[in-house]
Every structure is written in C-alpha cells, then in structure tokens.
Amino acid sequence: MMKREQRETQSRRKNALTREAIIETSIAILDRDGEKGLTFQALSSRLETGAGAIYWHINDKDDLLAAACDAVLHPAIATIVDHESPAHAIRGLASSLFDLLDDHPWIGSTLTRFPTQIAMIRLLEHLGGHIRAVGVHQNQEWAAASTLLMYMLGVGSQNAANAQLAREQALERSHFLDEVASAWSQLSADQYPFVQSNAERMRTHDDRDDFLTGIDFILKGIIAAGIR
Amino acid sequence: MMKREQRETQSRRKNALTREAIIETSIAILDRDGEKGLTFQALSSRLETGAGAIYWHINDKDDLLAAACDAVLHPAIATIVDHESPAHAIRGLASSLFDLLDDHPWIGSTLTRFPTQIAMIRLLEHLGGHIRAVGVHQNQEWAAASTLLMYMLGVGSQNAANAQLAREQALERSHFLDEVASAWSQLSADQYPFVQSNAERMRTHDDRDDFLTGIDFILKGIIAAGIR
DNA sequence: ACCTGAACACCGTTCAAGT
DNA sequence: ACCTGAACACCGTTCAAGT
C-alpha cells in the first residue's frame, strides 16, 4: 500500500468520505478502545481526514453515537428467528441482546442515553409483539414490555460500566469481578449479611445465566398477573 | 454578609475547605444544572477557592460523583421504615428510590457508572434482606435481588437520560414526553403496531405507577418461581 | 458540494510556589 | 497541612479558506 503523498497545494481526498464509513470506523474504535477512545482526533486520523470534514456528514458526537448504536442493533434484531412460543421468543431476544451488549459494551450506555432513537423503538416493538402474543391484557401490555426493556437496559448499562472500569484498571473482566468479590467478601457479616454471604457467588456465577433468570422472573410475573 | 477583601499578598481562606462542603456544593450544582453543570470551574467559583484546592480533599471527579451519590442515598435508604410484609417493604423501598431519582436525576447514571460504590451495596443488602424474608430459595436469592436492582437501575438511568435531554432542549419534562409521544404516534402502524398504538399512553401515563407495576411483575415472578 | 486544518472555548488535572 | 492560580494536555465544535 502506498502512502498518500504530500502535495504542495491542498487536495481533496479521492475516495469520498461517507456517513457510513464514519459510522463503521467509529464502531471499530468503540469496540477496541471503549467510549473514551472515540475522539474526533482518533476518528479523523483513522479516516485520514480533518476533524471538520466529519461534521459535513454528522451533526455532532451524540448523532454519531446514536447512529453507531443503531447500526449494530438493527441487523442483530432483524436476524432473530421465530420461536415455538412467545415466551421463548422473548428469551431468545434477550439472549441475543445480551451477547451483543457483551461484544459491544458501549451500546449499553449509549442506548440508555438516547431513548428516542430508532433502535430502542424497534426493541420495544419486538418485545411488544411477543407480549401481545402471550395474551397480556391491553392495559398492562405497555407496562409489561417496558419492564422487560428497563431490565435489559439496566443489565446492559451495568455491563458497560463494569467493562469501562475494568479497562481503566487494565484488568481482564473476569479478574475485575474477582476483585469485587474479594472486596465484598470482606464486608462485615453483621452489617451486610446478604451481600457478604453472596460474594463468593460473584466469582463463580455466569452473568448470562443470571440475566436470563431475571427475564424468566419477569415473564413469570407478567403471565401470573394476566391470569389472576 | 461582607465580601472577602482582596489582599495584596496571597492569603489562605479563613473557613477551612472540607470534603463535606465540597460534596454538599456539588450536590447543589448537580440538582440545579445537571451532570454537565458540575465543573471544577463552577465548583471552585462557588466555593471561592482555586481548582487545585479541591484536589487536596478528593481524588478526582469520579470520586466526587460517587461520594455525592452516596451522600444522597445513604440517609434516604436508612430512613425507610418497616412494613407489614417483605413484599410491601420492597415496594416501599422502590417507591422511595423512585422519588429520590426523580428529585436527583443525576443519581441514575452515577449509581450505574460506579457499581462498586457503597450505596449500591447498601441497596443490595436491603433488597436481599427482604428477599430472604419472602422465603426465596438460597440459590435463587442473588438472582432475585439482582433482578430487582437491575430493573431499578434501568428505570433510573432512563429517567436521568430523559431529564438530560429535556434540559438540553430547555423543555419541561412533561412537555418533552409529549414530543416523544407525538413522534411515536406518527410511526407507521404497519411497521410499529405496538409502539404506535401505545404512544398515546406516554402522554397520560404516570411514570411512577409504571415503575411500581414493573416491581410487582418481578415480585410476583420471584414468588411464583419459589413456590412451584 | 465537499474537504482542510487552524482556531476557539472549555474541560480535568498537575504542580511549583505560597502560608 | 492546606491553599493558590497559572500551566498543561486534551476535548468537541466552528469556520474561513480551499477545490
């Protein structure tokens, strides 16, 4: 690959900059270096352009983050296949979402920060469709779908925060949770009996299992509320 | 009140700066101007000191945010009275927490961002105590308490994001939700039947009621899982 | 229409120098 | 020990000037 030669006069880039290219590169940076890694300096240097050029294609950094979030979520949500039952479908959606948030931890906080974005609407729509298929009363369907979504966002944000803290301390994620478990296990058993006695579980537990157990609790509650 | 006089030579402040005073002032700024309003410039000018002085009492901004979060949450959690049943107690805790997050929207995102902080541990401990009182199996108690906490954090972060967006657009919170409702009601009923048909609900619904309905779903699910 | 890159306002943090 | 305030490195955003 040849390096682009320095010209005496200012020259335009040959391969046009596009909004899509900017978003793709942003995603790559976010995945590699986290949310703090995405700066206009890093972005323009990777794209071999000036910082100002990017502003021709995007409004501002929030616009960029929301677009990156949508770009990752949209195909992932669309790919979800049908399931035998609506409850299985919700579980499947939750499961896919968990994996996605695990691979792209920055999505957790981004999705929460821009609630009006299209990705959130599509998520709600999917959840709502399955909720209706379960047969929830009409005046409860919104609360039911919201509860599932809020729970997913809560876990997602938490994963994002853990990933961020682990990155700052330059630790593996598992090692980071180990540190937390150690700290919690040293809490006074008098003051914090519940947390202290469950600290060991932090070391051995599977985030994914816990997440899906939570989904099951909520589903069970929604269905139980419907049939009473 | 007399204005402090300008001296020719550098002089120390007479009323000592304390960590507590810094945290109190930070909370006041956060409540008034949101998370973006808390800068070392705003803080040092309110405290009539230099930016560097603050660093003698705190480690960095994250330390300050976590401390402010704890300072608000600690007394609020401690004040919660006993209830007739553990389920009522959890509902009461959730209700108090919702009001607190409504008054101090910055807590939602801060609490999520620093998961190891003491406020979170205390929340988990309270929830866990009530969960045990409900009689949940030991190998499910952690998942049950976590589910409730993750849901609360999800709603809290969402409230924080809404408050932030409303502030940026200089709108009342209710007016902001109106805008969202209008946008959603204009979605295609073919593509987004669930969201579109529930848009109107956004205008009339009570956030607090929805939140507590979600808590009830989860509680019902936890109890149902236990007795099966 | 699209791009360049310097300039701007602002941020968190540090630190030599003061008392 | 505690405080001052200038300095530093870095950030998002703007904009006159180029093609």
Side-chain angles (χ1 to χ4, degrees):
Chain A
M1 264 216 206
M2 283 174 55
K3 271 200 178 165
R4 278 212 308 150
E5 295 200 42
Q6 200 77 18
R7 301 267 191 82
E8 297 138 348
T9 62
Q10 195 184 21
S11 74
R12 297 262 298 275
R13 48 181 306 120
K14 21 220 107 157
N15 45 340
L17 198 61
T18 64
R19 185 177 160 91
E20 285 68 37
I22 293 172
I23 293 171
E24 283 309 309
T25 307
S26 297
I27 293 172
I29 295 176
L30 286 164
D31 286 345
R32 258 181 79 89
D33 305 321
E35 251 190 286
K36 296 188 69 171
L38 182 65
T39 67
F40 282 83
Q41 141 77 23
L43 194 51
S44 57
S45 115
R46 271 234 213 179
L47 290 166
E48 297 184 42
T49 183
I54 298 169
Y55 279 86
W56 182 261
H57 301 276
I58 64 154
N59 295 330
D60 51 24
K61 200 179 177 182
D62 284 358
D63 178 29
L64 183 57
L65 278 169
C69 196
D70 280 342
V72 173
L73 276 174
H74 183 41
I77 296 176
T79 332
I80 291 167
V81 289
D82 281 340
H83 287 75
E84 25 187 322
S85 80
H88 280 83
I90 290 174
R91 221 179 182 276
L93 174 59
S95 180
S96 306
L97 193 63
F98 184 86
D99 292 339
L100 206 67
L101 295 188
D102 220 41
D103 289 343
H104 313 279
W106 51 274
I107 293 187
S109 54
T110 309
L111 189 56
T112 301
R113 203 133 36 91
F114 309 110
T116 49
Q117 68 188 301
I118 189 71
M120 176 99 65
I121 295 176
R122 265 195 287 256
L123 262 176
L124 261 174
E125 187 60 40
H126 265 262
L127 286 171
H130 299 314
I131 285 292
R132 283 186 170 170
V134 170
V136 173
H137 283 106
Q138 207 188 336
N139 57 357
Q140 294 232 70
E141 66 178 21
W142 184 253
S146 295
T147 302
L148 284 164
L149 182 65
M150 291 299 112
Y151 172 68
M152 292 176 181
L153 291 182
V155 174
S157 303
Q158 204 57 34
N159 276 353
N162 284 337
Q164 177 61 31
L165 285 178
R167 185 190 303 278
E168 276 169 18
Q169 300 173 27
L171 291 173
E172 287 295 321
R173 208 182 118 72
S174 63
H175 197 78
F176 169 75
L177 289 178
D178 250 36
E179 303 262 311
V180 175
S182 299
W184 288 15
S185 70
Q186 280 160 34
L187 287 170
S188 142
D190 285 348
Q191 275 190 58
Y192 302 101
F194 182 79
V195 175
Q196 199 271 340
S197 66
N198 276 292
E200 202 50 42
R201 202 179 302 255
M202 287 231 54
R203 222 185 299 271
T204 58
H205 82 156
D206 183 324
D207 273 347
R208 204 172 191 288
D209 287 348
D210 282 9
F211 173 67
L212 291 175
T213 303
I215 293 286
D216 289 339
F217 282 143
I218 299 174
L219 277 175
K220 207 170 283 230
I222 290 171
I223 293 167
I227 58 173
R228 80 159 205 94
Chain B
M1 263 214 213
M2 285 174 55
K3 271 201 179 165
R4 278 214 307 152
E5 295 199 43
Q6 201 77 17
R7 301 267 189 83
E8 297 139 348
T9 62
Q10 194 184 21
S11 72
R12 299 260 299 274
R13 47 183 305 118
K14 21 220 106 159
N15 46 342
L17 198 62
T18 62
R19 186 177 160 92
E20 285 69 38
I22 294 172
I23 293 171
E24 283 310 309
T25 307
S26 298
I27 293 171
I29 294 175
L30 286 164
D31 287 343
R32 257 182 81 89
D33 306 320
E35 251 190 287
K36 295 187 71 170
L38 182 65
T39 66
F40 281 84
Q41 141 77 24
L43 194 51
S44 57
S45 115
R46 270 234 214 180
L47 290 166
E48 297 184 45
T49 183
I54 297 167
Y55 278 87
W56 182 262
H57 301 277
I58 64 155
N59 294 330
D60 52 26
K61 199 179 178 181
D62 284 359
D63 179 29
L64 183 58
L65 278 169
C69 196
D70 280 342
V72 173
L73 276 173
H74 182 42
I77 295 177
T79 332
I80 291 167
V81 288
D82 281 340
H83 287 74
E84 25 188 324
S85 78
H88 279 84
I90 290 174
R91 219 175 183 279
L93 174 59
S95 180
S96 306
L97 193 62
F98 184 87
D99 293 338
L100 206 67
L101 295 188
D102 220 41
D103 289 342
H104 314 279
W106 51 274
I107 293 187
S109 55
T110 308
L111 189 57
T112 302
R113 202 134 36 91
F114 309 110
T116 48
Q117 69 190 300
I118 190 72
M120 175 98 66
I121 294 176
R122 265 194 287 255
L123 263 176
L124 261 174
E125 187 61 39
H126 265 263
L127 286 171
H130 299 314
I131 286 291
R132 283 187 171 169
V134 170
V136 173
H137 282 106
Q138 208 190 334
N139 57 358
Q140 294 231 70
E141 66 177 21
W142 184 253
S146 296
T147 302
L148 284 165
L149 181 64
M150 291 300 111
Y151 172 68
M152 292 176 182
L153 291 182
V155 175
S157 303
Q158 203 58 34
N159 275 353
N162 284 336
Q164 177 61 31
L165 285 179
R167 185 189 302 279
E168 276 169 18
Q169 299 173 27
L171 291 173
E172 287 296 321
R173 208 183 118 71
S174 63
H175 198 77
F176 169 76
L177 290 179
D178 251 35
E179 303 263 309
V180 175
S182 298
W184 288 15
S185 70
Q186 279 160 35
L187 288 171
S188 141
D190 285 347
Q191 275 190 58
Y192 302 101
F194 182 79
V195 175
Q196 199 271 339
S197 66
N198 276 292
E200 202 51 42
R201 202 179 301 256
M202 287 231 54
R203 224 184 298 270
T204 57
H205 82 156
D206 184 324
D207 274 346
R208 204 172 190 289
D209 287 348
D210 282 7
F211 172 66
L212 291 176
T213 303
I215 293 285
D216 288 340
F217 282 144
I218 299 173
L219 276 175
K220 208 171 281 233
I222 289 171
I223 293 167
I227 59 174
R228 83 161 205 91

